[in-house]
Amino acid sequence: NARDRNADVVDAFDHNAPTDFALEPKPVTVADPEWIPQVVGGCQVDSTRGEDAMGFAFRFRIVHTFPNMTERSVITGIGVLSPNGVGKNEFHAAIRASKSGVRRVGHLDLSGCDTQIAGFIDDAKLDPLWADRKAKARLDRATLLSLIASEMAVADSGLDRLSELPLRKGILLGTGCGMVETTETAYHRFYALQKRRMKPTTIPRAMYNAAVCEIGIRHGLRRISNTIVAACSSALVALDLADLYIRSA
């Protein structure tokens, strides 16, 4: 039910919507042509179509675009945890030297696998970066890596005590496959060990937005809080949407 001036799409099921809405086929009209390349990659949009739960076809028109799209967006801090470099300086040096992070796996039993190599981050490099042992036990590994990377990015930005700053702050995070460690452990426990009860922490550890929640709590990010899951392009899509949110004020 998008009624205010910031609404970008009128709800197709609101029969009391403004006159711009109609169930009959209508062309999509965009108030600001500059909005098109930023949202649909420069494609010419003439109309849009969908179906509701009952299978009824409908079309709708965009009645408002994001306001104030002249705002600039800048990157102020970077945090990197990668198999070929922990921290932006080490990672940058590895990239310039063409150093790969893929190597033989020694911490897992891969005797039954054809592939014996992988890209991974040694725990020895993580331990100095995160001293909270209770958090390590409570969080999935992917969430922990995300938290450490966020700490690096905030420190690199120079925004001390970010949680206390009176700013509009949010987070968009991209993940290709979520919190795999917890999911794998739960499957192993249920199917291999025949344990019919899951640990109560399984869901909050395994949910795809676990990392976003933890980062948001730690840094006081109380506005936008979304997780993007789009396979290998997840991070790029998250960056693009973050840029869109910032520039639209």
Side-chain angles (χ1 to χ4, degrees):
N1 299 330
R3 297 285 180 80
D4 57 57
R5 66 180 186 86
N6 294 320
D8 33 308
V9 177
V10 170
D11 186 349
F13 302 105
D14 180 7
H15 295 279
N16 296 317
T19 55
D20 278 326
F21 166 77
L23 282 176
E24 296 296 326
K26 268 191 174 184
V28 171
T29 57
V30 180
D32 182 3
E34 294 297 324
W35 186 70
I36 296 177
Q38 296 152 357
V39 176
V40 292
C43 298
Q44 182 63 44
V45 177
D46 296 319
S47 64
T48 187
R49 176 182 173 85
E51 291 186 356
D52 65 9
M54 301 296 292
F56 294 105
F58 65 87
R59 290 171 184 251
F60 57 85
R61 296 200 302 167
I62 297 174
V63 297
H64 196 81
T65 59
F66 292 94
N68 305 323
M69 291 300 291
T70 57
E71 295 284 340
R72 291 187 62 202
S73 170
V74 297
I75 297 174
T76 56
I78 298 175
V80 181
L81 289 172
S82 173
N84 63 338
V86 173
K88 69 174 186 178
N89 294 331
E90 184 178 318
F91 177 72
H92 182 251
I95 293 296
R96 291 185 61 86
S98 301
K99 179 182 177 182
S100 173
V102 177
R103 57 196 185 277
R104 184 169 295 279
V105 176
H107 62 288
L108 295 175
D109 181 12
L110 300 181
S111 57
C113 301
D114 294 335
T115 301
Q116 304 289 319
I117 59 174
F120 56 92
I121 303 171
D122 292 320
D123 287 338
K125 289 191 173 183
L126 296 180
D127 289 340
L129 300 174
W130 197 267
D132 188 347
R133 294 186 177 275
K134 288 185 177 180
K136 286 182 180 180
R138 178 175 59 85
L139 303 174
D140 183 273
R141 180 178 173 84
T143 300
L144 181 62
L145 296 177
S146 300
L147 269 172
I148 295 174
S150 74
E151 290 284 327
M152 290 179 172
V154 171
D156 189 44
S157 71
L159 293 173
D160 297 330
R161 304 172 70 122
L162 175 61
S163 62
E164 300 177 12
L165 295 179
L167 303 172
R168 290 178 295 173
K169 300 163 292 186
I171 175 172
L172 283 98
L173 182 143
T175 175
C177 50
M179 314 303 134
V180 178
E181 181 186 53
T182 300
T183 304
E184 180 188 20
T185 301
Y187 273 109
H188 178 76
R189 179 181 173 86
F190 188 85
Y191 290 106
L193 302 181
Q194 298 293 305
K195 302 288 186 180
R196 295 311 181 192
R197 290 185 178 181
M198 293 291 102
K199 294 182 178 180
T201 57
T202 298
I203 296 300
R205 281 174 57 106
M207 60 188 186
Y208 276 68
N209 65 331
V212 157
C213 293
E214 293 291 340
I215 295 172
I217 292 170
R218 186 168 186 83
H219 297 294
L221 311 178
R222 300 179 180 178
R223 291 298 185 102
I224 295 295
S225 179
N226 288 334
T227 299
I228 309 300
V229 182
C232 295
S233 61
S234 300
L236 183 61
V237 175
L239 281 170
D240 184 53
L241 287 176
D243 171 68
L244 184 66
Y245 279 123
I246 291 172
R247 292 194 298 113
S248 64

